[in-house]
Amino acid sequence: MDADDFLHDWLAGSALRPSTRAEYAREIGSFLTWCRTRQVDAYTARPQDIAAWAHDCFLAPYLDGRPFNGPDALAQLADHHPEAARSHDRRISALTQFYEAAHGRRIITIPPDLVALRSGVTRPAGAKNRLARMERATLFAVIGGWGPHYSRHYQRDRLAVWLLLEGLRPAHVVRVDKRHLYPQPDGTWEIRAPDDHEAVGKQFVLEPLTGAAVKEYLKVRPEPADPGEHALLLNDNRQALQSRWVNKLVGQMAATHPLLADRQPPVTADTIAHTGYWDTPNGG
């Protein structure tokens, strides 16, 4: 099916709100138009093609001549133009939904990995800071469905979000120290989360789902590039992750389900950390 026809067919039958369908039609339509002018197949577009579209059509005025080619450009966007960064992340969410739908209908084999294209900008001041009950239940399903077709490091990604639900903030999640994981005789795990001064802080008894995620990740965790590195979660270079990565991951995971992708303000790592596993969210 032609990509334009598929876009309209998908949106017509989607669970998105009418205002979001209109926004997605506009944003994804812009991408499809760009693909035609550049002779790029929209279905097989690479992340670098999507980055080029974002730069050419939206971001160039905010980057002061810098190419949109990596984390430094995203950091500049998030730090100096947060509203433009939020709009950019919404576009990446729209494209994620588009490719998820195409994958679901077997038009494409594997959706492109767009995590690296997210700015990870934090939520605006005053935004509601917890998920409603249905949103939280949807997040549980999204975490469980996050597998190898989304990320080579899906076990690590799942664990990061479970740790957020334990109440750890993004900066703490990336600093959890492997030396401070303590398996208990009853099958549970205790951890000591780092405090804001890099000292060993509060003790957590992990929920069973998080404990299971720890066990699964430890089976595949690579040896760190530096033997003196003890961070539990490691990046592609076998080094500790940055806290901005957590928001990028959460944004991409949320983008795989309409209820979370459509949420305003967007779901962020802090939103999840404030929600928790079992406490009834405010207004839920």
Side-chain angles (χ1 to χ4, degrees):
M1 181 185 290
D2 174 83
D4 289 278
D5 291 340
F6 172 67
L7 171 63
H8 295 300
D9 184 60
W10 163 57
L11 289 177
S14 76
L16 296 166
R17 292 186 306 215
S19 59
T20 303
R21 288 200 295 269
E23 179 184 356
Y24 280 21
R26 182 177 64 253
E27 304 289 19
I28 301 171
S30 166
F31 174 65
L32 299 182
T33 299
W34 182 91
C35 286
R36 284 194 296 275
T37 61
R38 297 300 183 94
Q39 297 184 326
V40 173
D41 182 350
Y43 286 136
T44 59
R46 303 163 299 169
Q48 50 264 50
D49 297 319
I50 294 167
W53 159 70
H55 176 273
D56 294 350
C57 297
F58 303 102
L59 301 183
Y62 301 102
L63 294 176
D64 300 326
R66 178 195 292 270
F68 182 42
N69 60 357
D72 289 345
L74 285 165
Q76 176 179 326
L77 187 68
D79 291 342
H80 298 287
H81 304 284
E83 289 306 318
R86 292 187 186 99
S87 296
H88 166 73
D89 283 357
R90 287 197 296 273
R91 292 185 198 104
I92 298 302
S93 292
L95 278 176
T96 299
Q97 289 280 296
F98 173 76
Y99 284 117
E100 282 299 308
H103 176 253
R105 297 195 193 182
R106 301 186 178 181
I107 295 173
I108 62 174
T109 304
I110 300 175
D113 180 1
L114 304 184
V115 172
L117 296 183
R118 302 189 70 86
S119 71
V121 68
T122 55
R123 66 190 174 92
K128 58 180 180 179
N129 62 359
R130 287 185 174 186
L131 299 178
R133 285 191 295 265
M134 183 59 71
E135 292 169 340
R136 180 173 51 181
T138 302
L139 176 66
F140 275 55
V142 165
I143 298 169
W146 188 259
H149 56 294
Y150 289 115
S151 169
R152 211 157 41 97
H153 307 290
Y154 67 93
Q155 298 99 329
R156 176 202 65 190
D157 299 349
R158 287 176 180 170
L159 175 56
V161 183
W162 290 129
L163 288 170
L164 289 171
L165 281 165
E166 296 282 355
L168 276 70
R169 303 298 289 275
H172 295 164
V173 166
V174 297
R175 299 206 317 266
V176 170
D177 192 312
K178 186 174 182 287
R179 295 169 298 179
H180 298 301
L181 294 173
Y182 309 106
Q184 302 300 302
D186 63 358
T188 61
W189 288 76
E190 291 183 2
I191 68 168
R192 289 281 185 177
D195 67 14
D196 292 332
H197 305 287
E198 303 292 343
V200 176
K202 179 181 176 182
Q203 175 179 302
F204 286 77
V205 178
L206 299 181
E207 295 286 350
L209 288 171
T210 311
V214 170
K215 292 171 70 174
E216 287 302 307
Y217 175 58
L218 288 176
K219 294 176 185 176
V220 299
R221 178 183 181 269
E223 288 298 317
D226 178 355
E229 176 60 73
H230 300 291
L232 175 63
L233 305 180
L234 300 175
N235 63 20
D236 283 336
N237 297 320
R238 297 181 290 133
Q239 298 170 335
L241 291 152
Q242 300 298 311
S243 59
R244 189 185 297 275
W245 167 83
V246 185
N247 263 319
K248 291 182 180 181
L249 169 67
V250 166
Q252 195 64 20
M253 292 179 77
T256 65
H257 194 286
L259 182 63
L260 301 182
D262 197 22
R263 185 182 190 269
Q264 291 299 329
V267 181
T268 66
D270 273 339
T271 308
I272 296 172
H274 280 93
T275 297
Y277 265 94
W278 310 120
D279 292 340
T280 300
N282 293 337

